[in-house]
Amino acid sequence: MLTRLSPLTELATRLRTAGFPLATDWRVVDTWFRSWADHPELRDELRSQLRSLSARQAAKLLRSSRETTTHFAWCLLDSPTDPFSFWLHEYKAQEDWREGYADSVHNHRYHFCTTILRGNYLHERYETTHDPRTGLIDSAQLRRRTLCQAGACATMLADEYHRIPAAASGTMTFLVKSRPVSTFSLSYDPRSGIGHRHVPVEVRLGELAERI
C-alpha cells in the first residue's frame, strides 16, 4: 500500500532528486512549483507543522528566522545538504513598515519561487541601469505592476529586479529559495536615486580579522 506524501515532503523530495543543479535551471523548478502550489492541503499542513513543533524544533526555527523592515521571514527548512530552503513570509501591517529592502527596487542573491497563502500585495518588476564604475543601480524603470492575490505564484531570478511597495495586513507567502548564486545583492531607492550593495555577514567573515 502506497503512503501519500504530505505537500512539503512531496516538494522537498522532488527537489532533492532533480538530477541537476537546481540553481542552474531554476525555470524547471518554477514549472514544478506552479503545478504543486495550488495543493489544497498546503495551508493545513503548514498550520499542523507549526502547531506540532517540539521545543527543540521551535528553538531551531527561531534561530534561523529573522525580522526585516516589512515582514517576518520564518525559516521552515534549511538543511546544509539541500540545494534549497523553505520559508514563510509574514507581512507586517503597512503602518509598521520602515523604509528598507522589500519596498525598494532590489534583487536577491538567490533564485526563488513564491505563492501567496493569504492576503495580497502589489508587485512591481523593473529594468535597471548600473553605474559602470561602482556597479550600483543608478536608474530603474517600471516594467510591470500587478496586484497579486491569494493563490498567485511568481518566480524571481537573482539578476531580476522587483519591489513590493504595499501588502495587505496579514499577507503570508510560502517560498522555496535556491542556494546563493551571488555574494551580494543590490537595491535602489527611486525617491532619492541612491543605490546600495548588500553583503551578508557570512561573506564578510573571512576578512574580519584583517579589518580589526
Side-chain angles (χ1 to χ4, degrees):
M1 178 178 176
L2 295 177
T3 302
R4 188 171 179 273
L5 297 177
S6 69
L8 292 183
T9 302
E10 177 186 327
L11 181 61
T13 300
R14 184 159 202 180
L15 295 175
R16 287 170 180 148
T17 59
F20 62 88
L22 297 181
T24 64
D25 201 351
W26 197 254
R27 292 298 186 190
V28 174
V29 178
D30 174 48
T31 300
W32 294 345
F33 184 82
R34 288 176 185 271
S35 64
W36 169 88
D38 63 352
H39 205 299
E41 297 177 8
L42 177 57
R43 290 179 63 182
D44 288 340
E45 186 192 354
L46 288 169
R47 288 193 198 98
S48 177
Q49 178 175 320
L50 292 170
R51 288 169 177 163
S52 63
L53 291 174
S54 66
R56 183 180 62 82
Q57 290 170 328
K60 180 180 179 181
L61 186 151
L62 288 169
R63 285 195 303 270
S64 302
S65 302
R66 60 183 181 270
E67 179 183 5
T68 77
T69 58
T70 55
H71 61 277
F72 299 96
W74 301 101
C75 182
L76 302 181
L77 176 66
D78 189 6
S79 171
T81 59
D82 285 333
F84 63 89
S85 58
F86 289 167
W87 296 78
L88 186 67
H89 284 187
E90 176 191 5
Y91 282 84
K92 299 176 181 178
Q94 195 81 42
E95 60 268 23
D96 293 332
W97 284 28
R98 303 188 312 277
E99 291 186 7
Y101 207 54
D103 56 346
S104 69
V105 177
H106 64 278
N107 72 333
H108 297 269
R109 295 182 301 121
Y110 47 81
H111 313 313
F112 71 89
C113 298
T114 184
T115 185
I116 300 179
L117 299 173
R118 58 170 295 179
N120 63 76
Y121 57 57
L122 189 62
H123 188 234
E124 299 175 343
R125 291 180 180 259
Y126 285 82
E127 296 289 349
T128 60
T129 62
H130 299 249
D131 184 310
R133 181 178 57 86
T134 65
L136 298 178
I137 302 171
D138 57 15
S139 71
Q141 182 176 359
L142 179 64
R143 183 160 55 91
R144 186 166 71 249
R145 177 185 290 120
T146 308
L147 179 60
C148 300
Q149 305 283 357
C153 293
T155 292
M156 293 293 300
L157 301 182
D159 60 355
E160 296 179 321
Y161 292 85
H162 73 147
R163 178 174 179 249
I164 299 177
S169 181
T171 295
M172 301 192 75
T173 62
F174 174 83
L175 300 89
V176 54
K177 301 179 182 180
S178 76
R179 292 303 174 189
V181 297
S182 173
T183 57
F184 64 88
S185 60
L186 300 173
S187 69
Y188 175 79
D189 182 351
R191 287 170 292 187
S192 66
I194 297 175
H196 296 278
R197 178 180 285 104
H198 305 271
V199 181
V201 292
E202 59 266 28
V203 174
R204 297 176 61 85
L205 177 60
E207 301 173 357
L208 182 60
E210 284 69 31
R211 290 197 297 271
I212 295 177

